[in-house]
């Protein structure tokens, strides 16, 4: 039970936030040195200078307002064009692709894939996998989730690993290459991890297989492409490993987590009762080992807070998303990982004690407004 539970991270959508308003503007105060003339009032020359300054100020204000309106209108038109282009592309592709996602709803890797599919408006069916028996994926020698089956005409392809799924589908959307060709760019290989256990790794999984023109059109430069790959890998190699120690930090939090897992997952009546109590106890103990393995602080919340603020700093203040005006694959990966904690104490604390909430809500809104 504990082994099956390791991949399950609870989530919910029970929170609502209120963003604070912008600070009030301050009016400039004119210096007394700006007034000239006799004690009885300003002379004709002073009045002329004053009127000239007012006229110039009014003209400058009008010009600035016109320029601002122009750029605002241009930005909105460009955003509409991008949405229309993406909508037309997705519509044609949705006729060619039939997708089935095998998942655990509360798994962060599965949540990453759903965030990607939803943002790109790709329709898909979901098969919830029983985490104990896993009978739903008995057709596959690869025994982890997510697994995505993609039907393209007469060709049926199986895609494994969340990052491979995302990279392969994004390559497909941008380049239009056949999916059966694209998946050959991401071969699997056996490796031994730090614990001496044999695992399956995938080559090139953060790399989109695009030609030079396609890459330039998508990224605009090598720096943006490198940045996206770096933070996608960070989400897999670091951020994901902060979830379990935080949602199972205390016995109370562990029980609340498994209560959600049982409600949202695919368990039988007896399995659910066993999972809720024995699974919570087991994962509370396992989370302590995970804390030691990943060299986390005594209070694992601090690691979570530091990771969130590090991400926010990387996005910066001058762009709403790491991808600029729209979320890129790194934005969707980080959002997908964090989303599985929604409704839990760890998520509440994360929103309250870090600067990540405004970015998180922007990604949530971008996904909700994706053309369907």
């Amino acid at each position: 039970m504990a082994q099956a539970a390791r991949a399950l991270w609870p989530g919910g959508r029970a929170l609502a936030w209120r963003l604070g308003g912008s600070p009030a503007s301050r009016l400039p105060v004119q210096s007394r040195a700006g007034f000239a003339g006799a004690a009885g009032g300003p002379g004709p020359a002073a009045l002329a200078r004053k009127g000239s300054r007012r006229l110039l100020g009014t003209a400058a204000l009008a010009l600035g307002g016109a320029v601002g309106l122009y750029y605002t209108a241009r930005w909105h038109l460009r955003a509409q064009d991008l949405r229309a282009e993406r909508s037309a592309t997705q519509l044609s592709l949705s006729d060619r692709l039939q997708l089935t996602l095998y998942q655990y709803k509360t798994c962060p890797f599965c949540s990453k894939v759903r965030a990607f599919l939803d943002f790109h408006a790709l329709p898909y069916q979901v098969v919830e996998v029983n985490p104990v028996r896993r009978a739903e994926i008995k057709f596959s020698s690869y025994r982890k989730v997510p697994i995505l089956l993609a039907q393209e005409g007469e060709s049926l392809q199986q895609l494994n690993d969340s990052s491979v799924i995302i990279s392969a589908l994004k390559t497909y959307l941008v380049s239009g290459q056949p999916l059966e060709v694209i998946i050959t760019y991401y071969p699997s290989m056996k490796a031994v991890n730090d614990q001496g256990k044999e695992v399956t790794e995938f080559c090139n999984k953060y790399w989109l297989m695009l030609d030079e023109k396609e890459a330039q059109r998508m990224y605009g430069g090598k720096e943006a492409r490198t940045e996206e790959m770096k933070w996608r890998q960070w989400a897999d190699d670091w951020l994901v490993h902060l979830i379990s120690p935080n949602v199972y930090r205390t016995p109370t939090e562990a029980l609340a987590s498994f209560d959600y897992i049982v409600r949202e997952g695919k368990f039988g009546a007896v399995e659910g009762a066993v999972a809720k109590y024995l699974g919570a106890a087991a994962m509370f103990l396992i989370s302590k080992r995970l804390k030691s393995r990943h060299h986390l602080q005594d209070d694992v919340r601090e690691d979570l807070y530091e990771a969130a603020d590090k991400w926010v700093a990387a996005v910066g203040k001058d762009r709403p998303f790491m991808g600029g005006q729209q979320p890129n694959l790194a934005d969707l990966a980080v959002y997908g990982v964090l989303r599985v904690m929604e409704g839990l104490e760890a998520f509440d604390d994360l929103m309250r004690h870090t600067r990540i909430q405004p970015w998180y809500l922007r990604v949530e809104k971008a996904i909700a407004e994706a053309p369907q």
Side-chain angles (χ1 to χ4, degrees):
M1 180 62 66
Q3 182 179 3
R6 293 186 196 191
L8 301 176
W9 317 118
R13 309 202 54 90
L15 294 181
W17 305 282
R18 298 292 183 267
L19 299 178
S22 60
S25 58
R26 293 189 176 90
L27 295 176
V29 179
Q30 186 172 2
S31 168
R32 292 183 61 84
F35 295 93
L47 285 172
R49 288 194 299 271
K50 183 177 180 181
S52 177
R53 286 195 298 269
R54 285 181 176 174
L55 183 60
L56 288 173
T58 302
L61 182 63
L63 180 61
V67 171
L69 286 173
Y70 167 73
Y71 279 106
T72 299
R74 194 172 81 166
W75 184 89
H76 280 294
L77 288 172
R78 178 56 180 156
Q80 290 174 359
D81 289 343
L82 289 173
R83 284 194 294 267
E85 290 172 8
R86 189 176 74 181
S87 180
T89 301
Q90 309 315 332
L91 182 61
S92 63
L93 289 170
S94 66
D95 292 336
R96 294 159 51 187
L97 272 187
Q98 295 180 0
L99 304 175
T100 303
L101 177 64
Y102 293 80
Q103 67 156 22
Y104 305 141
K105 183 177 180 180
T106 52
C107 162
F109 296 106
C110 301
S111 180
K112 279 171 47 187
V113 174
R114 292 198 311 273
F116 171 86
L117 295 173
D118 292 340
F119 178 71
H120 291 86
L122 291 173
Y124 60 99
Q125 294 182 328
V126 170
V127 176
E128 193 69 20
V129 176
N130 181 293
V132 179
R133 296 190 301 271
R134 292 184 287 181
E136 295 79 6
I137 56 173
K138 63 182 179 181
F139 63 86
S140 173
S141 59
Y142 182 80
R143 302 298 289 168
K144 295 181 179 180
V145 293
I147 293 173
L148 186 75
L149 294 186
Q151 181 85 39
E152 184 184 18
E154 299 298 320
S155 175
L156 178 64
Q157 305 298 327
Q158 178 177 329
L159 287 74
N160 305 322
D161 184 272
S162 62
S163 292
V164 171
I165 292 170
I166 291 168
S167 292
L169 287 181
K170 187 65 175 181
T171 298
Y172 176 78
L173 295 177
V174 175
S175 71
Q177 301 175 64
L179 197 57
E180 63 180 335
V181 173
I182 293 173
I183 63 173
T184 64
Y185 303 147
Y186 305 97
S188 63
M189 57 180 292
K190 297 295 183 181
V192 178
N193 64 15
D194 295 338
Q195 290 74 49
K197 180 180 178 182
E198 186 178 76
V199 294
T200 301
E201 296 288 352
F202 293 87
C203 301
N204 311 317
K205 66 181 180 179
Y206 301 109
W207 190 266
L208 302 190
M209 300 303 173
L210 309 175
D211 64 28
E212 188 173 342
K213 289 183 179 180
E214 292 163 347
Q216 181 66 27
R217 186 171 69 247
M218 179 173 173
Y219 293 109
K222 293 181 179 179
E223 294 80 6
R225 188 177 198 174
T226 301
E227 181 183 52
E228 180 185 74
M229 293 171 62
K230 169 188 172 181
W231 289 97
R232 288 180 66 194
Q233 185 171 0
W234 174 82
D236 285 354
D237 291 350
W238 179 246
L239 187 61
V240 160
H241 298 298
L242 300 179
I243 305 300
S244 180
N246 274 277
V247 300
Y248 302 124
R249 184 180 63 153
T250 66
T252 300
E253 288 182 88
L255 190 60
S257 297
F258 263 86
D259 181 64
Y260 180 78
I261 287 174
V262 170
R263 281 188 287 110
E264 295 294 329
K266 187 174 182 179
F267 290 90
V270 175
E271 288 176 338
V274 172
K276 181 175 179 178
Y277 295 101
L278 294 186
M283 286 309 298
F284 169 70
L285 297 175
I286 290 173
S287 69
K288 305 306 175 186
R289 286 168 33 198
L290 294 175
K291 183 173 77 170
S292 175
R293 177 187 302 172
H294 297 293
H295 308 290
L296 304 182
Q297 300 178 51
D298 290 337
D299 184 356
V300 292
R301 282 288 198 275
E302 295 301 321
D303 294 286
L304 185 63
Y305 298 160
E306 289 176 8
D309 285 334
K310 182 177 181 179
W311 166 255
V312 172
V315 173
K317 298 180 180 179
D318 298 329
R319 53 184 180 175
F321 308 101
M322 182 166 282
Q325 294 303 317
Q326 291 290 331
N328 67 6
L329 300 185
D331 288 293
L332 296 173
V334 173
Y335 172 83
V337 170
L338 296 178
R339 178 172 60 175
V340 297
M341 295 191 297
E342 283 190 14
L344 298 176
E345 183 179 336
F347 188 81
D348 295 348
D349 289 346
L350 178 67
M351 294 295 127
R352 188 163 47 244
H353 295 293
T354 72
R355 296 176 287 118
I356 204 169
Q357 178 180 311
W359 167 86
Y360 188 90
L361 292 175
R362 287 195 295 268
V363 179
E364 185 174 63
K365 182 180 180 182
I367 293 175
E369 292 179 350
Q372 301 299 319

